Amino acid sequence: MKNWWFLRGVRKGILTEKTPKDIAEWSTKIEGKGVANCPTKAIENGKWIAERCIFCRRCYPNYKPNLNYEISIIKGTQKLFKKSFFIYPIDAGSCGGCNMELKLISSPQYDMTRFRIFFTNTPRHADAIIAMGTLTEKMKEVIKEAYDAMPEPKLVVLLGTCAISGGILGEAIPLEAQVLIPGCPPNPYTILDALIKVKGGKK
């Protein structure tokens, strides 16, 4: 009886979600108007800046999420990775939230491997580095060493508000990246959507 989920999968065929069903609303695009008591200045002149938002909800009810999880910023795609895309995560000192959401995209519910996206344990086999946490000067050197070990072509992905802008902790060390995935933490669908787009694939 312990393997009932496996037998159900064999009978029904597909258990992986083709499209999102249940999305955490406070990790999606925020819209509204009026005063926003934002500690990270993610709302300025009524405009939402995804790269700074920690989804603390202090802007509610003047501003609300609209369930649009496609909030990543893609500065360029690389179709060479269409057949396979290997990612190497680096934690620069995160709270663990981004790590958990990133790990979830490998679960059966999201199944990143159906899009030919895989984790690798070494930057020498990686197509992209995914950096999480607030980047410091010392960690910048570590990331540079990992980046230099990667084969060409290669990408840098900043995952979460801390890596992109420093989040609630302050300024992050600038790091040139081709992909920015905002969120605190980002929704697994947001992460998967960004990785699929940057590799030139389709959902």
Side-chain angles (χ1 to χ4, degrees):
M1 291 300 293
K2 291 182 179 181
N3 295 326
W4 67 270
W5 60 269
F6 173 76
L7 296 175
R8 186 182 66 176
V10 171
R11 286 197 299 268
K12 292 191 175 182
I14 299 175
L15 288 181
T16 301
E17 292 185 5
K18 288 185 177 180
T19 56
K21 293 180 181 178
D22 299 314
I23 300 176
E25 60 177 355
W26 281 98
S27 61
T28 61
K29 186 176 180 179
I30 292 176
E31 294 180 328
K33 60 182 180 179
V35 178
N37 184 21
C38 182
T40 60
K41 298 181 180 179
I43 297 177
E44 291 187 344
N45 300 320
K47 182 181 179 181
W48 180 60
I49 304 170
E51 302 96 305
R52 298 180 189 171
C53 187
I54 58 171
F55 296 95
C56 63
R57 310 185 190 193
R58 290 178 69 175
C59 60
Y60 185 84
N62 291 341
Y63 293 83
K64 301 177 183 179
N66 68 2
L67 296 182
N68 178 9
Y69 64 90
E70 298 182 11
I71 58 175
S72 296
I73 300 166
I74 312 295
K75 299 181 180 180
T77 60
Q78 180 52 264
K79 293 186 178 180
L80 186 63
F81 301 145
K82 191 172 183 179
K83 291 187 176 180
S84 66
F85 188 46
F86 286 85
I87 56 179
Y88 179 69
I90 295 181
D91 189 338
S94 73
C95 67
C98 289
N99 305 58
M100 293 298 294
E101 300 302 296
L102 179 63
K103 184 178 180 180
L104 274 176
I105 68 172
S106 65
S107 68
Q109 181 181 355
Y110 306 99
D111 190 14
M112 67 182 188
T113 59
R114 64 189 162 131
F115 302 111
R116 300 178 181 179
I117 301 172
F118 310 93
F119 286 120
T120 181
N121 293 322
T122 171
R124 297 187 185 278
H125 298 161
D127 299 311
I129 284 177
I130 298 186
M132 300 165 280
T134 304
L135 302 176
T136 62
E137 280 292 347
K138 290 185 178 180
M139 281 306 300
K140 187 176 180 181
E141 184 61 30
V142 172
I143 292 174
K144 184 180 183 303
E145 289 181 11
Y147 182 79
D148 291 341
M150 296 167 61
E152 294 283 356
K154 49 193 175 183
L155 303 171
V156 174
V157 179
L158 297 183
L159 180 63
T161 303
C162 289
I164 298 172
S165 65
I168 196 68
L169 300 177
E171 294 292 328
I173 299 300
L175 186 66
E176 186 176 346
Q178 293 74 37
V179 186
L180 307 178
I181 307 178
C184 189
N187 190 288
Y189 288 116
T190 302
I191 300 171
L192 200 54
D193 173 70
L195 297 181
I196 293 169
K197 287 177 178 176
V198 78
K199 69 188 288 288
K202 295 180 180 179
K203 290 183 284 184

